[in-house]
Amino acid sequence: MRLTLHQDEDTRVHRLRARMHGPLCGITTSMGFLTRYPGGPRLLVGTADMTGVHVRQDQPPPKAGSYHIGGYGIFPFESHIRSLAETLERYSGYAAALDGRFEIHHLSYAELAARGEPVLPPDAFRLFTDEQYERAGFPFDPFDPEAPSGWLRVGSLTDGSRCWVPAQRFLLGYVREREEPWTLPAVTTGTATHTTPQAALRAALEEVVQVDAAMGHWYGRTESVLIRPDARTRHLDAIVDTYFPASAPRPEFHALPSPDLPGFTIACLLRQPPGLVPEVAIGLGSGASLARAMYRALLEAAGVQWLAAWVAVEQAVQGTPADQDIYDLEGNVGLYATSQGARTVERRFALHTERAASELPPDDDRPVKEAVRTLVDAFEHSGKQLYFGDLTTRDLRALGFHAMRVWSPDTVSLPLPSAVPAAHPRFADYGGFTDDVPHPYP
């Protein structure tokens, strides 16, 4: 006879926190929760910091909070588990680079190609315009096929082949060599942790689709779809009625369509009355269920609302110029906390159509394995390469988690706000690139 122990969610998350959280040797070194401000939503907004991976990389310590780890929810379990899982996600990208999981070779693109090795086509490296490279303070270098760079060989989910890809674009924890050109850094887009490999892979794929759709909408010419609530969103409406202040404008949800990839990408706009900071905050959510994607976007918008208020105060104290280029993922949040920034957001989302929730495509409630197959097939059928790596280290596996990384050179990952890859061919699928006004997403 096989016995199974069932534990409630609060017990499970407290056991996990006990194994992860410790100021000296925990993967999570600190955790905290923000106090709800008067008139704010009744949500738990959690924050966390990660262990000092910089020490093993011989790098200077990062700014406090720079890993952007947080978790939001209407129940304590949600906020806790999201904070802990996001810590593991960030950690996996660095730990996998440090433990020798990927063999990195340093040589030039030209040498790889001359050997007949499988490499990406040259178009995959033409990311920025000449005007961007000439801009004072622009952080990235043009791609030089003769310059030695770090490369790692990863597998393709679409055709089973293996290809050499730039280590700096695939591994979050990669530290480039002194003379290596800095062409584009890896970000967490496409990295996810979960309790099974398939669930982690699905979450990673959905994030790739989500960020691509969000960047395609912001910088392209497509219109969003304003979602009109109806019976399909009744449970979400009940949450808003219960946990969000009646004095504030209702959350507004927009679907951001992808031209060729499945699932829902939702942007939630949280507004506040004039005079409060931020006037508007935007959160993203995605998935195969409309209501679930909307809920995720709502929670993230609430977290961004807190972050925007904090960054706006910090920038006011430091006297940060509002018109300077933004090469981090906080300064843009402060920019859009202002009245001027809010007007920019409102102008972009004013270009929309409107549909009732029940008129949007149906949810996909199939098992995880089938959902992953559908996503991978969509990349293949639309001519996109999709590479993956298993970032699960021994310590993650001991905690009962798996970390998966997926990356496609044919979609747009989250860029630094003033360094969007304007020459990326993907923008043609969104009607063409418009201008490089910094995006509002952290």
Side-chain angles (χ1 to χ4, degrees), residues 339-357:
S339 297
Q340 178 183 350
R343 287 194 293 271
T344 302
V345 171
E346 299 290 2
R347 282 196 300 269
R348 185 65 189 94
F349 281 89
L351 301 174
H352 65 254
T353 58
E354 183 174 340
R355 296 177 67 184

Side-chain angles (χ1 to χ4, degrees), residues 19 29 307 325 383 393:
R19 299 179 66 189
T29 56
L307 175 62
D325 288 333
T393 55

Side-chain angles (χ1 to χ4, degrees), residues 57-385:
Q57 296 177 307
D58 195 26
Q59 296 293 301
K63 172 188 171 183
S66 62
Y67 292 118
H68 296 105
I69 297 171
Y72 328 112
I74 59 177
F75 301 113
F77 165 79
E78 290 181 289
S79 180
H80 276 75
I81 195 62
R82 286 189 168 95
S83 297
L84 295 172
E86 197 160 88
T87 303
L88 292 176
E89 176 202 299
R90 303 288 192 270
Y91 173 77
S92 68
Y94 291 91
L98 291 167
D99 73 355
R101 177 174 300 273
F102 298 96
E103 185 178 357
I104 297 175
H105 291 204
H106 289 88
L107 68 169
S108 72
Y109 177 88
E111 288 177 284
L112 279 173
R115 294 179 185 179
E117 295 285 351
V119 291
L120 298 173
D123 286 350
F125 302 94
R126 298 190 184 110
L127 300 171
F128 300 100
T129 65
D130 292 340
E131 183 277 329
Q132 287 179 294
Y133 285 125
E134 293 167 1
R135 189 183 301 164
F138 193 74
F140 303 126
D141 303 310
F143 174 66
D144 180 357
E146 302 294 336
S149 299
W151 302 86
L152 53 89
R153 199 173 186 183
V154 292
S156 168
L157 286 172
T158 53
D159 60 18
S161 65
R162 295 181 68 79
C163 181
W164 291 96
V165 302
Q168 63 180 263
R169 291 175 67 182
F170 190 87
L171 276 183
L172 186 66
Y174 173 73
V175 178
R176 61 193 171 98
E177 297 288 304
R178 185 182 301 274
E179 302 302 323
E180 182 175 347
W182 194 219
T183 58
L184 190 65
V187 290
T188 60
T189 301
T191 308
T193 55
H194 213 288
T195 52
T196 68
Q198 286 287 341
L201 185 57
R202 177 180 182 172
L205 288 165
E206 288 176 344
E207 188 175 57
V208 169
V209 176
Q210 168 187 290
V211 174
D212 179 73
M215 294 302 104
H217 168 261
W218 185 262
Y219 293 108
R221 302 178 188 278
T222 56
E223 294 185 349
S224 61
V225 179
L226 175 62
I227 302 173
R228 190 168 64 249
D230 59 14
R232 189 177 182 183
T233 62
R234 63 187 182 280
H235 297 303
L236 182 66
D237 296 334
I239 289 173
V240 172
D241 291 338
T242 303
Y243 295 97
F244 283 73
S247 58
R250 296 282 292 188
E252 185 175 288
F253 297 92
H254 291 251
L256 309 180
S258 169
D260 46 25
L261 298 174
F264 297 103
T265 293
I266 305 297
C268 174
L269 277 63
L270 278 185
R271 298 180 176 89
Q272 296 193 104
L276 297 181
V277 176
E279 288 191 16
V280 63
I282 311 178
L284 292 174
S286 62
S289 162
L290 175 63
R292 193 172 296 120
M294 293 171 68
Y295 179 62
R296 290 168 177 164
L298 177 70
L299 293 183
E300 183 171 285
V304 171
Q305 200 172 58
W306 274 103
L307 175 62
W310 175 264
V311 173
V313 171
E314 188 177 59
Q315 290 180 340
V317 171
Q318 296 175 350
T320 305
D323 58 350
Q324 72 174 18
D325 288 333
I326 301 170
Y327 297 120
D328 62 67
L329 292 171
E330 288 183 3
N332 60 325
V333 175
L335 169 65
Y336 288 104
T338 65
S339 297
Q340 178 183 350
R343 287 194 293 271
T344 302
V345 171
E346 299 290 2
R347 282 196 300 269
R348 185 65 189 94
F349 281 89
L351 301 174
H352 65 254
T353 58
E354 183 174 340
R355 296 177 67 184
S358 297
E359 296 173 354
L360 296 177
D363 296 344
D364 184 352
D365 296 323
R366 292 175 302 162
V368 172
K369 187 175 182 179
E370 295 179 31
V372 168
R373 187 69 264 164
T374 296
L375 285 161
V376 172
D377 286 346
F379 276 84
E380 182 178 7
H381 295 158
S382 59
K384 297 178 182 60
Q385 276 294 347

Side-chain angles (χ1 to χ4, degrees), residues 16 19 194-196 395-402:
L16 178 62
R19 299 179 66 189
H194 213 288
T195 52
T196 68
D395 40 6
L396 260 72
R397 188 173 288 108
L399 292 167
F401 280 81
H402 298 264

